[in-house]
């Protein structure tokens, strides 16, 4: 499922663009989640990871170009499509690796073409992910971006390169979802991504980000067997 952001400080235009995108993607049979933002600051504060971002350039306070520069630091792979009433920022758009530059009022045919190209690009670099819910919003979590999951009662902290994302869930359901996905439950409170294991001993696992995760005694032997298989599969020398 595609995760899309539309950012425009003109509320009516923002809603209109989001509606057009949703309608076109429905015709393309491409399921999506669309979030609307009325300022660059709101977009930058969002915890979600977006596949495609439609960004107006001429906005009050934080303009679209500056927003894009900051946004690129935390989302280098996102597809960025500028929407503007002016042509003067076309060359600046290259500096933030914009995928497309659409002029207002946006021609529906050009919007459709941009979406088709963007969808193809996301499919070509598809990664495994899971959808979780937080405050009535759906969130896409890419498994490759997660170092480990930490369970705290009914809450789950997904620790990743971009920080911590907290949502409500059950450890049993999470473990089942991650079965065969390269994760291992080394303790009742932790599910670790085996690709980020940097070292280990009988008491703990050390991840590449420097985090030390405890290993339950009863899980140690199974962990050793599992990490050995992972290393052999990835070509590691034992």
């Amino acid at each position: 499922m595609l995760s899309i952001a539309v950012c425009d400080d003109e509320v009516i235009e923002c809603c209109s663009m989001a509606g057009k995108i949703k309608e076109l993607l429905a015709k393309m049979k491409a399921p999506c989640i669309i979030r609307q933002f009325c300022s660059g600051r709101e977009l930058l504060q969002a915890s979600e990871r977006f596949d495609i971002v439609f960004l107006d350039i001429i906005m009050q306070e934080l303009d679209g170009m500056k927003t894009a520069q900051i946004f690129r630091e935390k989302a280098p792979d996102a597809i960025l499509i500028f929407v503007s009433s002016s042509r003067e920022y076309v060359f600046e758009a290259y500096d933030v690796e914009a995928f497309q530059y659409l002029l207002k009022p946006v021609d529906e045919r050009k919007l459709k073409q941009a979406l088709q190209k963007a969808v193809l690009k996301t499919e070509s670099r598809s990664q495994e992910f899971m959808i979780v819910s937080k405050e009535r919003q759906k969130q896409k979590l890419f498994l490759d971006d997660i170092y480990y999951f930490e369970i705290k009662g009914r809450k789950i902290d997904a620790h990743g390169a971009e920080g911590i994302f907290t949502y409500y869930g059950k450890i049993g359901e999470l473990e089942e979802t991650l079965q065969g996905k390269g994760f291992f439950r080394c303790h009742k409170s932790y599910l670790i991504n085996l690709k980020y294991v940097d070292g280990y001993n009988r008491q703990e696992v050390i991840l590449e980000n420097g985090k030390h995760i405890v290993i339950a005694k009863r899980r140690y032997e199974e962990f050793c067997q599992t990490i050995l298989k992972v290393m052999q599969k990835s070509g590691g020398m034992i």
Side-chain angles (χ1 to χ4, degrees):
M1 182 179 290
L2 291 169
S3 179
I4 298 175
V6 179
C7 182
D8 193 319
D9 62 352
E10 295 290 338
V11 178
I12 295 177
E13 290 197 26
C14 188
C15 291
S16 176
M17 176 61 77
K20 290 176 182 177
I21 292 169
K22 188 172 184 178
E23 185 178 334
L24 287 169
L25 288 176
K27 291 178 180 178
M28 294 163 56
K29 300 187 184 308
C32 66
I33 298 172
I34 301 177
R35 280 205 63 191
Q36 299 176 40
F37 300 93
C38 293
S39 73
R41 200 167 305 281
E42 284 184 17
L43 173 62
L44 295 173
Q45 290 174 347
S47 59
E48 295 96 324
R49 171 173 176 160
F50 298 106
D51 299 302
I52 306 171
V53 177
F54 286 82
L55 181 60
D56 184 26
I57 294 180
I58 303 174
M59 296 191 293
Q60 296 182 0
E61 294 184 27
L62 196 64
D63 65 48
M65 201 59 67
K66 182 61 178 178
T67 299
Q69 291 169 359
I70 300 172
F71 182 78
R72 268 285 176 247
E73 294 177 6
K74 72 170 187 175
D77 296 329
I79 294 174
L80 183 60
I81 298 176
F82 279 121
V83 182
S84 178
S85 58
S86 173
R87 294 177 181 271
E88 68 176 283
Y89 303 99
V90 171
F91 294 107
E92 287 185 53
Y94 287 107
D95 294 335
V96 289
E97 300 177 38
F99 182 74
Q100 198 86 26
Y101 194 102
L102 301 174
L103 285 172
K104 294 182 179 182
V106 177
D107 180 80
E108 188 168 319
R109 179 178 60 83
K110 291 183 178 180
L111 175 60
K112 181 179 179 180
Q113 290 175 344
L115 280 170
Q116 288 174 330
K117 291 178 182 178
V119 170
L120 284 174
K121 186 171 182 178
T122 59
E123 290 176 346
S124 67
R125 68 180 192 201
S126 61
Q127 304 177 53
E128 287 193 280
F129 60 87
M130 55 188 287
I131 300 292
V132 299
S133 299
K134 179 182 180 180
E135 297 175 355
R136 300 182 181 180
Q137 294 284 347
K138 297 294 184 181
Q139 169 70 38
K140 179 191 288 186
L141 295 181
F142 284 89
L143 301 187
D144 269 358
D145 293 342
I146 304 298
Y147 295 128
Y148 65 97
F149 290 93
E150 182 178 7
I151 293 79
K152 298 178 178 178
R154 293 177 57 241
K155 291 184 178 181
I156 297 176
D157 286 346
H159 295 256
E162 297 179 7
I164 302 173
F165 182 81
T166 303
Y167 67 98
Y168 287 97
K170 298 179 180 179
I171 179 60
E173 293 178 359
L174 176 61
E175 187 174 14
E176 185 176 343
T177 298
L178 297 176
Q179 190 72 33
K181 307 292 186 184
F183 284 78
F184 184 83
R185 188 176 179 182
C186 60
H187 183 272
K188 66 179 181 179
S189 298
Y190 296 98
L191 274 156
I192 60 173
N193 190 336
L194 294 171
K195 71 174 288 185
Y196 291 117
V197 173
D198 194 44
Y200 62 92
N201 54 46
R202 286 188 171 273
Q203 286 75 44
E204 61 185 11
V205 179
I206 301 94
L207 301 182
E208 289 181 3
N209 67 343
K211 180 67 178 181
H212 290 234
I213 306 292
V214 65
I215 302 180
K217 289 183 179 180
R218 64 183 182 86
R219 305 290 292 167
Y220 180 71
E221 293 302 326
E222 184 182 351
F223 169 77
C224 290
Q225 295 172 12
T226 303
I227 194 66
L228 178 63
K229 291 178 182 178
V230 170
M231 294 177 72
Q232 290 174 333
K233 186 176 180 180
S234 62
M237 299 295 290
I238 306 301

